[in-house]
């Protein structure tokens, strides 16, 4: 029987192993004339999901061998998307909101996400001096368990010069 296994998306497949039931006379798996061959279709690039582990090829004149397949479960990899902190002056337009990403595998980037991150803030050009959350949300991908981390938009005072008029 092929033993069930699991791994994270982007990681190498684990060693495939099998259990044996019915060996007698102190026989071991090494006693078989032909050892079991274990294989899976999953590769490091395979998406999160379940893949078969096939058991085949074992043979020995002393045994009637039944092969039982197992499963390899590829789980999503962790991905953190963090809204970058921004600053602006009171009365100015909000800067472009951006994010950083930590955890991509297989050379992937934000462009590979099924649904990109949405970045927003409640601050407008009329918002007074203070701090406002930059919310990161909505990113989705079958291959990642996504953790959204919010940032902060800081609205700084605008420079103001008051000059007394000469009289």
């Amino acid at each position: 029987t092929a033993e069930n296994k699991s791994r994270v998306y982007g990681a190498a497949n684990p060693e495939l192993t099998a259990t044996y039931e019915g060996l007698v006379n102190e026989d071991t798996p090494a006693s078989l004339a032909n050892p079991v061959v274990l294989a899976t279709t999953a590769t490091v690039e395979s998406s999160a999901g379940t893949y078969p582990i096939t058991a085949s090829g074992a043979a020995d004149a002393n045994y009637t061998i039944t092969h039982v397949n197992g499963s390899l479960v590829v789980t999503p990899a962790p991905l953190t998307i963090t809204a970058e902190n921004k600053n602006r002056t009171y009365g100015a337009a909000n800067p472009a909101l951006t994010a950083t990403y930590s955890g991509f595998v297989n050379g992937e980037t934000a462009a590979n996400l099924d649904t990109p991150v949405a970045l927003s803030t409640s601050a407008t050009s009329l918002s007074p001096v203070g701090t406002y959350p930059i919310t990161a949300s909505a990113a989705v991908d079958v291959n990642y368990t996504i953790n959204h981390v919010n940032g902060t938009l800081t609205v700084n005072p605008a420079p103001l010069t008051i000059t007394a008029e000469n009289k």
Side-chain angles (χ1 to χ4, degrees), residues 71-141:
S71 296
L72 172 65
V73 176
V74 177
T75 60
L79 175 67
T80 299
I81 302 175
T82 304
E84 293 184 298
N85 294 332
K86 299 291 180 173
N87 293 288
R88 71 162 175 84
T89 303
Y90 171 70
N94 287 336
L97 302 179
T98 56
T100 60
Y101 301 81
S102 176
F104 278 121
V105 297
N106 294 333
E108 294 179 340
T109 66
N112 295 102
L113 292 174
D114 294 337
T115 303
V117 68
L119 300 167
S120 63
T121 183
S122 60
T124 69
S125 62
L126 300 176
S127 296
V129 169
T131 58
Y132 300 86
I134 299 172
T135 304
S137 64
V140 176
D141 194 276

Side-chain angles (χ1 to χ4, degrees), residues 25-78:
N25 296 330
E26 297 183 21
D27 283 345
T28 66
S31 305
L32 297 175
N34 293 330
V36 68
V37 176
L38 300 167
T40 183
T41 57
T43 67
V44 71
E45 292 87 15
S46 295
S47 292
T50 302
Y51 299 85
I53 299 173
T54 57
S56 63
D60 193 278
N62 294 319
Y63 294 98
T64 301
I65 296 175
T66 302
H67 296 92
V68 179
N69 295 335
S71 296
L72 172 65
V73 176
V74 177
T75 60

